[in-house]
Amino acid sequence: MSRAWKPWASLAAAGFPAWQVERLFLAGIVDVGRGRFRIPRRARIYFEEQFPERAAERPFGTLLSAPLPRVLWLGLPYTNLVRLAHSTAVGLADILAAASPETIPVIGVLPDDAPSMRGHEDIEGLVDLAAELDLRLGIIGGDHRATWSMLRTVKSALPGQAVQYVHVDAHHDLYGYRSDCPPDHINHASFLADLLQRGCIDRAVLIGRRDGDEPLRAALDDGLPIHCTATDEAWRPADWSDDAYTDLAVDLDVLDARLAPAVSSPIGEGWTLDALLHKLAKIMSEARIHSCSVVEAGGGSPATTKAALEVIELLGT
Ligand SMILES: [Mn+2]
């Protein structure tokens, strides 16, 4: 094969079947992509191995020739191994097993149970592709570090871009915050402090929070650009920009714990699923969402899986 990119149409016209391209791709002999983007090989291999029925519904040939869907989903099975019974990796598997290929097109699943350099390279490529093709990129977690990985890569993929983040979550996820430096340890409860302190995001909007005020108060006192919405209606802060890149993350623990019991840190008095879907529809009608993630669904809970699927389907519209 040549080192230069070849248009798929010319290979097909020369009698080169899609399955041969797929075998060369999976063996690491050729790259397949569009523009600067390369299909993340690790994610495709793992998806085909672990979810063969799902992968068969969107065969490799369609990645070569069919129009890409409006929203592309990547599975990211980050998990906290302390609680394997409610593992978010199993939660992702439950979601993918029940997902409709028509409404939830999955490009692959990265075989990572924690953030990695290679994973971030793959995500950065997808952020780049989504911007180039005007698609929305979605990540299905996995725990909330999935959002961290997405937002750690946006400014390197899109230099100079201002980034806004809408955090729909029962928690502020600023645990471990201290004024002098980012947290030592990134986990699902501390990642937002890291993103803000490193300048990966320029504005964060917290919606649905009902955990304690500390250390949120300390972060606000230090001037971190966090906006906490007190009411459902006026969710956009005064300095909201319609030109900035905007990421939206939904932590399923924003729901009442009786409706989505398989989350790692449930808090009572949460939202109904209808209230969450209504809120997300309102946000999407009032802001352009460039990327999104749905996180913290654990395994073995049909109610949690169902809630995740409804949120994912809505974010895919
Ligand atoms: Mn969270």
Side-chain angles (χ1 to χ4, degrees):
M1 298 293 286
S2 160
R3 286 183 190 168
W5 288 97
K6 300 279 188 205
W8 164 242
S10 70
L11 291 175
F16 217 92
W19 67 264
Q20 282 190 356
V21 178
E22 180 175 16
R23 288 188 63 181
L24 292 167
F25 168 76
L26 294 176
I29 294 167
V30 300
D31 282 315
V32 174
R34 296 181 182 223
R36 290 166 296 161
F37 165 69
R38 295 167 187 214
I39 292 174
R41 182 177 285 107
R42 289 194 311 132
R44 181 69 197 181
I45 290 173
Y46 188 67
F47 188 47
E48 290 194 7
E49 285 176 356
Q50 298 295 319
F51 304 95
E53 290 171 22
R54 299 284 93 156
E57 287 160 351
R58 191 171 292 276
F60 192 80
T62 64
L63 297 174
L64 295 170
S65 52
L68 287 170
R70 166 86 188 81
V71 180
L72 271 187
W73 291 98
L74 176 74
L76 204 50
Y78 293 170
T79 196
N80 177 354
L81 293 174
V82 172
R83 297 196 60 195
L84 208 50
H86 279 183
S87 157
T88 45
V90 178
L92 170 62
D94 287 352
I95 290 168
L96 292 178
S100 154
E102 275 82 46
T103 53
I104 305 180
V106 176
I107 195 165
V109 176
L110 281 175
D112 295 342
D113 63 7
S116 72
M117 289 279 287
R118 291 171 76 193
H120 282 197
E121 284 170 15
D122 287 331
I123 295 166
E124 191 177 323
L126 287 168
V127 170
D128 197 17
L129 170 80
E132 186 178 317
L133 299 181
D134 199 21
L135 304 172
R136 180 177 301 147
L137 174 62
I139 288 181
I140 307 171
D143 72 40
H144 219 150
R145 290 173 300 172
T147 303
W148 181 77
S149 287
M150 173 93 87
L151 288 165
R152 280 296 294 255
T153 64
V154 169
K155 285 206 176 189
S156 43
L158 308 171
Q161 180 72 63
V163 177
Q164 296 174 141
Y165 169 54
V166 182
H167 180 81
V168 180
D169 194 320
H171 308 84
H172 48 64
D173 290 350
L174 294 163
Y175 293 97
Y177 172 77
R178 55 178 204 261
S179 298
D180 50 342
C181 66
D184 294 333
H185 181 62
I186 309 298
N187 62 30
H188 70 146
S190 69
F191 78 94
L192 185 53
D194 181 82
L195 292 171
L196 286 161
Q197 288 183 289
R198 290 184 192 279
C200 297
I201 52 182
D202 302 293
R203 187 173 301 114
V205 179
L206 273 51
I207 298 175
R209 186 188 73 84
R210 51 186 192 276
D211 59 352
D213 285 345
E214 290 298 335
L216 171 60
R217 190 182 304 276
L220 288 168
D221 287 347
D222 286 346
L224 263 61
I226 303 167
H227 179 85
C228 302
T229 57
T231 70
D232 271 3
E233 290 312 308
W235 68 272
R236 292 205 301 189
D239 59 353
W240 182 265
S241 165
D242 287 326
D243 298 324
Y245 183 101
T246 301
D247 181 81
L248 166 67
V250 180
D251 186 323
L252 290 166
D253 67 23
V254 77
L255 292 171
D256 193 274
R258 286 165 295 182
L259 301 171
V263 294
S264 49
S265 306
I267 304 183
E269 307 299 312
W271 294 3
T272 65
L273 182 56
D274 275 352
L276 173 59
L277 296 173
H278 177 78
K279 184 69 176 179
L280 294 175
K282 180 173 172 61
I283 292 169
M284 290 166 68
S285 73
E286 294 176 355
R288 179 157 179 232
I289 304 299
H290 297 79
S291 57
C292 57
S293 46
V294 180
V295 299
E296 296 287 344
S301 164
T304 310
T305 301
K306 177 178 178 293
L309 285 166
E310 292 202 27
V311 170
I312 293 165
E313 289 192 355
L314 177 66
L315 293 177
T317 58

